[in-house]
Structures are given as structure tokens and as C-alpha cells.
Amino acid sequence: MKRAEDLRELLKKIDHKSYPAYKDTAGKYQFPGYVLSIDHVQGDPFAAPSKISILISGKETGFLKELFDTKWKRIALQDMILRQFYRQVEQYSFQAKGSGKSGLMSVSRCGQEILERSDCQIEKESGDLHFRMEIGFPASGRTIQARELEKIFFDFLPECVKKSLLYSSLDKKKWKKNAELSEDQQAIRNELKKRNLVAFIANGSILPRESGVSKRPMKNAVKFQSPISMEVTLNLPFYGEIKGMGITKGITLIVGGGYHGKSTLLEALELGVYNHIEGDGREYVITDQTALKIRAEDGRSVKNVDISMFINGLPNGKDTKSFYTEDASGSTSQAANVIEGIETGSKLLLIDEDTSATNFMIRDELMQRVVKRDAEPIIPFIDRMEELSEQYGVSTILVAGSSGSYFHKADCIVQMNHYRPEEITTFAKEEAKKFPISEKKVPAYQMTEFRRIVFSNREWKGAERVKIKTMGRDGFSINRENVDLRYVEQIVDGGQVNALGYLVLYAQRNLFDGKRSMQEVVTRLERLMKEKGLSGICEGTYLPSNLTMPRTQEIFACFNRVRGLKL
Ligand code: ADP
Ligand code: MG
């Protein structure tokens, strides 16, 4: 391996040459305590910055094995290291000068969730740390400013490494506390399963956020307090005894006046599929890992989805057992979202009336009298909720403010009152008796077998270069085909979108063969990522920074929104 001094000499040699001379720097260099690897060199100062990785042996980092001996602790440790590095690197970014992206030093900016990211990866046996980032190689115009890059590699980076990538860079109590929180969060997940719960919200949690643009906890918010009747007590390995609201499997209805905190509660549950950082306010809000937000999504494309559970006999004669559209309506999109959600293995649907198609959710008595069932293609969700729960083990948590009909179907009814939940099941059911609904049964539905075969939309030539461009958390494009993920609400950051782009590309090239079903493809991808991590989907090239592991549910959701795929 080359030595750090070799890099210094090379930099001297190429100083003031034309930009492409930077290409010679690619390779690995032994620095004191770590290996610096220049994985990819940008073509000009305005292009996407160069890809750098830093490899430090477990011995050198010094992290105790007990900080990363389970998957969740490892992810929590990686997350904390990355956050520290971010704070360091922020001070140095653009301190080296030049045109375009010269001097940029960047890693992913973490939000409130603790996620597996390519930026920082710890090898589970050896503890070796692999850190990835981007650096804008400095130039004025297209003339190399090698001295500026020398500052980055020889002054700034070593400082960042020392101050954030080593066990000694932080008070050891803090590392320990971080690991303990992740143990406690995992313990809650395990308890949910044992106790037949789909969610737990600890007393004292802060659910609302600071503002529409800040995901930090709201200051002076009303703290969450479970109604006594729903309170469960868990015993966590480090926190000890913790009390909070347990939501049992089945149908849970959240009602209440406008502005009383219903959607805020639901949003906290949506994100409870992820663990949150200390101080977030939702550290102990944990939801079934497969929970899926369901909403209307007018305009999306739908391919070969059996929506006949909800929609039959469309006036245009379209087949709803194998439904296709390039432009779904509110109700057909929401129906497709439910069925596709079940295909992902989701056991908990989260629905907010605010973002639902009314005609998909409910039909009131008077409407049923006037417009008879045979003239109405939609069997509303309310008439399928019990079947989903009882036959298929798919629970629902539903936020509703405007219709009492749900009272008849819910197993548990919670009213949000000035941000405080009250359990009103008995009272609401009593009242509901005075407004009976017709007990006409809808015909039972036989769940589809989910054998949707995926065909690639085109031939993929071996080494063909493909451009993936991401638009933050909103979506990405592959060779100019846009994939719109704006309504996939549980995507929390751009890194997940990046990874989804790579997954689509990988599957296009290797798995969409006209024989495998969607479920088989996703299973294969997840196995690949389990064995090889995120680099498994990068096909031989280096693993870039800013890839974040998406959930199963979002992988399916993404594939379902690639318009070019044939299904
Ligand atoms: P709903 O869905 O019932 O109409 P929201 O959940 O949208 O109500 O909440 C309305 C407003 O109240 C939001 O601005 C939200 O930030 C705020 N809010 C929600 N929960 C709390 C709380 N626990 N303490 C203080 N403010 C809250
Ligand atoms: Mg609301």
C-alpha cells in the first residue's frame, strides 16, 4: 500500500495542472492510524464531489465490543459516530478554497431517526470502522489547487478522525448510554410481540414537532399521558420500569375535535417503526416494524393489483382483480395502497381521515339508501376492517373526526382531548347503539396470492452507465424516468431514496426476469443486503456515502411506483 507521504508528493507534482490530473490520486494510502481510500475522483470542480473512505481497524478505534454486539447497538453506535463526525466536518467544509464544490467536505446529515447508513459502518466481528464521505477536490477554474487538498487530507481530516471516529473522542458514559437506549428500544419491540400490542407510547413522550420544517421536539408541549385503562408497564433492561399507552392488535379508532392532536399522535406512530435519538421526545414511542401509512394518492400508477376487496364492477368494465391504471383516482389509489401494503407483510395500517378518499373509507346510511350497493363499485374500508383484522391479522389504527359509523367497528376508541388521550370505548359503543347500522354483510373476500411477476422494462447492457438522480426525500430518476415517492410518508431521508434508486437499478439488471414475483424479488434483495450490507446493491463499484437502509415496506412502495416496470 502507498504511504501518506506518497500522496503528498503526488499532490505537489500535479499542483496547478489541469483538473483530470487529480485522477491519479485514486487509491489507498496508509495514514497514521487509518487508511485513506480515494474511491472515485470527480471529473471537474462542478461535478459530483469525489468519494473518499476511511478505514480504521477495530483495534485502532478502541470501541468496546459490547457497544456493537447486536445489530441495533451497532446501528446506534454508527449513528452516533456519524453525528459527531458531521459536527466536526461542518467546521472544515469549504475552509479549503476554490471554484465550484472545491473544499466541500460532506457526510449525511442525520435527522431524528437512527438508521443504518453507508456513511459509517462497523464490521460486526472485527469492529473495523469504514467511514465514507465526499470531498470537493479544489481548483481555480479547472486548475488544480493541490495545496488546498493537502490541507484537507493532512490537517482537517486527521483532526476529524481523532475527534469523532475513536472511542476516546467522547466521554465513555455517552457511548454507553447510547447503546443502552437502543437495548431498551429493542426490548420494547420484543414486548410488543409478546403482549399482542402493535404500539407503545411512553408517558412523558413529546409527540409534536417544533414546526413544519423542524423535526425537533416542540418546546412546552403537553406531554403524553396514557389513559389508565390502556396503561401497560414494561420493564426495560436499563430504563427500568416504564409506563405508557399500549395499543392492542385489532381496530383502534382515534377521535377528537379538530386541532386536539390526533394527526400528531398518528405521525408519531408512523415513525415509531424507527428508533429515535435521545432527546427526541419519541425515544420510547415504538410501533410494529411493519406498520404502514395508507393514504389516497391520486394520479399514481397501479399495475396488476387485485383491488376487488374494495372495488368491483367499474362502469368502464375494467378488471379490478388485476387492476391497471396510469392515473388512479383517490379511492382506487388508496385501495391499491392497502393491498400492496398487505403484500409487503404489513400487519398494521395507519390511516388518517385527513389524507384519505372519503368514498374509499365510508358510505353513510342515507347514501346507501339512495344509491344502492349494485350501483356503487366501492365497498368502503369500514366494511372490510374487521375482516382484515380477524381473517388476515392486519390491524388498523384510524384517525377520524367526522363520522361516528366507525364506532360500531372499533375494538378500542381513544379520544384526544387537549392533546390528552382518553379511552371512551364503552361510552361511544353505548351511544352508537342508538344509531344502528344495517348489518348487511359484504361478500367475503379471498385474499390474492400475490404472484405478480415483474418484467424489466428494457434490456440492460452489461457495463452501461446509468444516471440516478435523487430529489431529496421526494423521489429519484433513473435515466430520466421519474419515480415519485412524495406520498410514501415513512421515508424520512434522502439516503433512503438513494438506496431505493440503487435497488431499482440492481433489480432491473438482475432480478426482474419475467419469472420472479415482486415478493420474491424483494426477498432476494433483502437477503443480499443482509449478507453484504448496502454494498451488495452497488454491483462491484465502491459504496458511496449517503445510502440509508430502507424498510421492506418502502422497497415495495418504490417498485410499485416505477411506471416503466411491467407487471
Ligand atoms: P388534529 O389532527 O386533531 O386536528 P393535530 O395533530 O394536527 O390535530 O394538532 C394540531 C396542532 O396542535 C399542531 O400544530 C400540533 O403541533 C399541536 N400539538 C399536537 N400535540 C400537541 C401537544 N401534545 N402539545 C402541544 N401542542 C400539540
Ligand atoms: Mg388531523
Side-chain angles (χ1 to χ4, degrees), residues 402-414:
S402 68
S403 176
S405 307
Y406 297 108
F407 292 146
H408 295 278
K409 310 280 180 161
D411 300 311
C412 176
I413 303 163
V414 178

Side-chain angles (χ1 to χ4, degrees), residues 208-209 218 220-223 257-265 352 354 419:
R209 300 294 96 191
M218 178 187 277
N220 305 318
V222 176
K223 290 187 175 156
Y259 227 66
H260 280 255
K262 303 183 297 295
S263 298
T264 302
L265 171 57
D352 194 330
D354 289 357
Y419 315 123

Side-chain angles (χ1 to χ4, degrees), residues 33-35 126 131 149 164 176 180 190 204 213 230 237 240 257 260 275 362 390 435 442 497 537 544 549 553:
Y34 62 91
V35 173
S126 60
F131 199 86
L149 187 56
S164 54
K176 190 157 172 275
E180 289 174 356
N190 298 340
V213 291
M230 295 176 76
H260 280 255
N275 288 347
I362 205 155
E390 285 155 22
F435 299 86
V442 295
V497 175
I537 56 174
M549 191 71 86
Q553 278 63 36

